[in-house]
């Protein structure tokens, strides 16, 4: 059975200004290709149903990208504008009426390898994690990879953090959305608040990179060896 995919690409990318004043984060080119293309190329067309791309900031540029590249893919790509609810949960909620069962959520401005993405099609109720040097909440899980909690006061310099990739069911929308520290509504916070009902497991991504800051961009330029370009 094929599974729908939701790509979250609505954010403003304020920490990457002035680049993101004219270019959505998902269209920033790394290694000669924009992040959104890398994500779409990493999806197995034999396992994917529809792909929904949630947009808001500079969404006309993402729409133009979709129209130029639509014929390259065997799955249907649908652009959805984010509604009034803010945060990752708000972006996801924008497409809830179009989802019928299990689906995969992907953070559209990070780089996920094709090998890692395949893991999310194998099980239900999953949270992607990757071990990085970071100040983000540490993801705590047991030896059987059962998610336990987010540790907000972790002292570990290198820790497992959430990658923004999940396998969820439409029933997820029955849960009350939980706020982030910024006052928006977050997917991981909502999962944590309903852990006894969802019973999620973690999926370890071995080749995942985030793009939040200019420091991240410099690192990715070096990693992928090709100078960054803006579409």
């Amino acid at each position: 059975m094929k599974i729908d995919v939701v790509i979250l690409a609505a954010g403003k990318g304020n920490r990457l200004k002035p680049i993101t004043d004219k270019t959505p984060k998902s269209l920033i080119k790394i290694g000669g290709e924009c992040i959104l293309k890398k994500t779409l190329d990493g999806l197995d067309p034999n396992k994917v149903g529809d792909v929904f791309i949630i947009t808001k900031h500079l969404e006309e540029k993402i729409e133009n990208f979709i129209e130029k590249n639509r014929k390259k893919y065997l799955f249907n790509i649908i652009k959805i504008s984010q509604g009034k609810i803010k945060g990752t949960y708000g972006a996801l909620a924008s497409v809830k009426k179009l989802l019928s069962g299990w689906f995969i959520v992907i953070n559209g401005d990070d780089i996920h390898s094709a090998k890692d993405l395949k893991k999310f099609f194998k099980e239900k109720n999953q949270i992607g994690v990757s071990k990085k040097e970071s100040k983000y909440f540490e993801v705590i899980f047991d030896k059987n990879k059962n998610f336990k909690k987010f540790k907000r006061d972790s002292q570990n310099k290198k820790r497992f953090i959430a990658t923004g990739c999940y396998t969820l069911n439409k029933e997820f929308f029955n849960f009350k959305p939980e706020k982030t520290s910024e006052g928006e509504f977050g997917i991981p916070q909502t999962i944590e608040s309903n852990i006894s009902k969802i019973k999620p497991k973690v999926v370890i991504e071995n080749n995942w990179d985030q793009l939040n800051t200019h420091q991240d961009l410099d690192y990715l330029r070096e990693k992928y060896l090709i100078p960054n370009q803006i579409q």
Side-chain angles (χ1 to χ4, degrees):
M1 186 175 101
K2 293 188 175 183
I3 301 177
D4 291 338
V5 173
V6 182
I7 299 176
L8 308 183
K12 291 183 177 180
N14 289 329
R15 285 177 286 179
L16 278 167
K17 284 179 173 290
I19 294 172
T20 47
D21 287 335
K22 296 182 178 180
T23 304
K25 282 175 67 178
S26 62
L27 294 188
I28 292 177
K29 288 186 177 180
I30 303 294
E33 294 180 335
C34 72
I35 295 173
L36 182 55
K37 183 178 184 299
K38 289 180 182 292
T39 301
L40 293 171
D41 288 350
L43 297 175
D44 185 345
N46 296 313
K47 297 181 179 179
V48 175
D50 291 327
V51 175
F52 300 96
I53 301 178
I54 313 301
T55 65
K56 191 167 188 179
H57 176 62
L58 300 175
E59 62 183 346
E60 69 282 355
K61 293 195 173 184
I62 297 177
E63 185 169 15
N64 288 339
F65 168 84
I66 294 171
E67 291 308 313
K68 288 179 181 179
N69 294 274
R70 185 185 299 279
K71 293 181 180 179
K72 297 179 182 179
Y73 301 101
L74 298 178
F75 41 74
N76 189 31
I77 302 175
I78 304 166
K79 185 194 80 70
I80 303 290
S81 295
Q82 182 169 347
K84 295 181 180 179
I85 304 175
K86 295 181 179 181
T88 55
Y89 184 98
L92 181 59
S94 303
V95 75
K96 68 178 181 179
K97 292 182 179 179
L98 299 176
L99 297 169
S100 57
W102 290 96
F103 58 90
I104 294 171
V105 183
I106 301 173
N107 192 348
D109 51 20
D110 292 346
I111 299 175
H112 303 263
S113 73
K115 187 175 181 179
D116 283 335
L117 288 176
K118 286 181 180 178
K119 300 174 184 177
F120 291 89
F121 290 87
K122 296 178 179 179
E123 300 288 342
K124 302 173 180 178
N125 288 331
Q126 298 186 108
I127 300 176
V129 301
S130 187
K131 200 165 191 178
K132 299 283 185 180
E133 287 190 8
S134 177
K135 294 182 180 179
Y136 287 103
F137 296 159
E138 182 174 10
V139 179
I140 304 300
F141 54 93
D142 64 22
K143 63 180 181 180
N144 294 317
K145 296 184 179 178
N146 295 303
F147 170 70
K148 293 297 183 182
K149 65 176 182 178
F150 293 107
K151 190 174 182 181
R152 289 156 174 79
D153 58 350
S154 174
Q155 300 301 310
N156 294 325
K157 185 176 182 181
K158 197 167 187 180
R159 61 186 72 168
F160 281 104
I161 61 174
T163 63
C165 198
Y166 314 89
T167 303
L168 298 170
N169 188 277
K170 189 175 181 179
E171 294 177 358
F172 180 71
F173 297 112
N174 294 332
F175 301 126
K176 178 184 175 182
E178 294 294 329
K179 286 187 176 182
T180 68
S181 57
E182 290 80 23
E184 298 180 340
F185 293 98
I187 294 173
Q189 290 81 4
T190 304
I191 292 174
E192 184 182 33
S193 293
N194 296 279
I195 187 171
S196 62
K197 297 176 182 177
I198 299 175
K199 298 179 181 179
K201 286 184 173 290
V202 302
V203 173
I204 298 176
E205 295 195 54
N206 297 312
N207 192 15
W208 167 79
D209 288 298
Q210 57 187 333
L211 177 57
N212 290 323
T213 67
H214 286 277
Q215 184 178 2
D216 293 336
L217 185 55
D218 291 340
Y219 165 77
L220 291 173
R221 283 177 177 173
E222 183 176 350
K223 179 176 179 178
Y224 287 86
L225 301 177
I226 300 176
N228 187 55
Q229 303 173 39
I230 304 301
Q231 186 173 33

